[in-house]
Amino acid sequence: MLLREVAYCRPVDVEDALAVLREHPGARPLAGGQTLVNVLKLRAASVDALVDISGLEELRLIRRSPDGGLEIGACVTYDELEHSEEVGEAVPILAEVASHTVDQQVRNRGTIGGNCCYADPASNYPPLMTALGTTMRVATPAGEREVAAEEFVLGFSRTAVGTGELLRSVVVPPLDGSGVGYQSLLIGRDSWALARAVAVLRAEPTIVEARVVLGCVADAPLRQPAVEQRLRGRDPSPETLAEASRASCEGIEPISDVHASGGYRRRMSRVVVRRALEQAIEEAE
Ligand SMILES: Cc1cc2nc3c(=O)[nH]c(=O)nc-3n(C[C@H](O)[C@H](O)[C@H](O)COP(=O)(O)OP(=O)(O)OC[C@H]3O[C@@H](n4cnc5c(N)ncnc54)[C@H](O)[C@@H]3O)c2cc1C
């Protein structure tokens, strides 16, 4: 299906973009367009105007924070993430996930901000942002606000970015010796996932910090406090990790659809949690 005619504008900076969005409440930011254009073509949504933010320099920066973490502009593409030296040095998992996202055409255009703002339950980045303890910087007409990644996704394709606002950047804290495990069960190679788990663990040598997040099983990424509790203060043995993974999915009813039943998703989620824990411990310094 062809795209219906729609007004298109290219603001000169973030202030200008916010002004256009304020004047036209039916307008939407356009980043890489890899989701939005398809959604519009399929008539699953309509907009009055597209505000193309993809060229705004302020949204394309990648810089090391003074604490050794990273600030990444919302319009940094997957390809730029994959090849950034700063990202590779500070938080390499961000580059690795980018390198596995779909195909090169999508990686050339799709952005980290668009991925977080579209917030499909199977999107690659929202659970990773939550597990890493990321702060999302939102530009608003009244200034800027910071939202913890854990509170950023409010539901299916709903985020803390309100009408007339923009995600400006994501601020990822330093890993400080933590290991990251990122595991997905994919429908097909380079495709959407049925189950996903991200674990960030620090061990000295007992586990002192644990953040474990599930994706794909609910409208938003879910922290797994029961798993984290079973890890803190424990020796990171295979038995500890396996036992903790069995506590995931408590109180969750994953959806059933054409790809898998809810029961299968639940069982596979526990498997990917265990694998993510094993990977995180292997990578922890
Ligand atoms: C064939 C195919 C397969 C895919 N498979 C996967 C997959 O397996 N995993 C995965 O995670 N993704 C997948 N995607 C989605 C892809 O990663 C998209 O690029 C991404 O979800 C959206 O990024 P974008 O920059 O293209 O955003 P756009 O499509 O431009 O925008 C998406 C939404 O976010 C809003 N938005 C964008 N940027 C901002 C901002 N800075 N502030 C506020 N709102 C903003 C837009 O208004 C729109 O509502 C796939 C896409 C395709 C085409």
Side-chain angles (χ1 to χ4, degrees), residues 28-38 53 59 74-75 78 101-103 106 109-111 113-115 117-118 122-125 161 165-168 190-193 196:
R28 288 288 171 270
L30 176 73
Q34 297 305 295
T35 299
L36 185 53
V37 171
N38 287 337
I53 57 171
L59 304 183
C75 286
Y78 302 128
T101 298
V102 209
D103 48 43
V106 175
R109 300 288 310 171
T111 65
N115 192 277
C117 290
Y118 183 60
S123 287
N124 290 0
Y125 279 95
V161 180
E165 299 181 342
L166 280 178
L167 178 66
R168 183 190 284 276
D190 296 342
S191 184
W192 294 94
R196 170 166 294 130

Side-chain angles (χ1 to χ4, degrees), residues 13-61:
D13 56 25
V14 169
E15 296 309 307
D16 192 23
L18 291 173
V20 179
L21 290 168
R22 188 171 58 239
E23 276 165 34
H24 305 280
R28 288 288 171 270
L30 176 73
Q34 297 305 295
T35 299
L36 185 53
V37 171
N38 287 337
V39 163
L40 295 177
K41 279 184 178 172
L42 292 169
R43 315 283 191 255
S46 64
V47 298
D48 294 344
L50 293 172
V51 182
D52 188 347
I53 57 171
S54 64
L56 298 182
E57 285 307 317
E58 303 153 78
L59 304 183
R60 306 210 48 165
L61 58 86

Side-chain angles (χ1 to χ4, degrees), residues 111-182:
T111 65
I112 187 165
N115 192 277
C116 293
C117 290
Y118 183 60
D120 185 283
S123 287
N124 290 0
Y125 279 95
L128 180 57
M129 295 289 118
T130 299
L132 291 171
T134 304
T135 301
M136 319 293 279
R137 292 179 65 203
V138 180
T140 82
E144 196 178 287
R145 97 195 135 73
E146 294 191 341
V147 183
E150 197 165 345
E151 285 151 25
F152 185 76
V153 179
L154 305 176
F156 184 90
S157 219
R158 279 193 311 117
T159 71
V161 180
T163 306
E165 299 181 342
L166 280 178
L167 178 66
R168 183 190 284 276
S169 63
V170 301
V171 181
V172 185
L175 288 176
D176 283 339
S178 296
V180 185
Y182 184 101

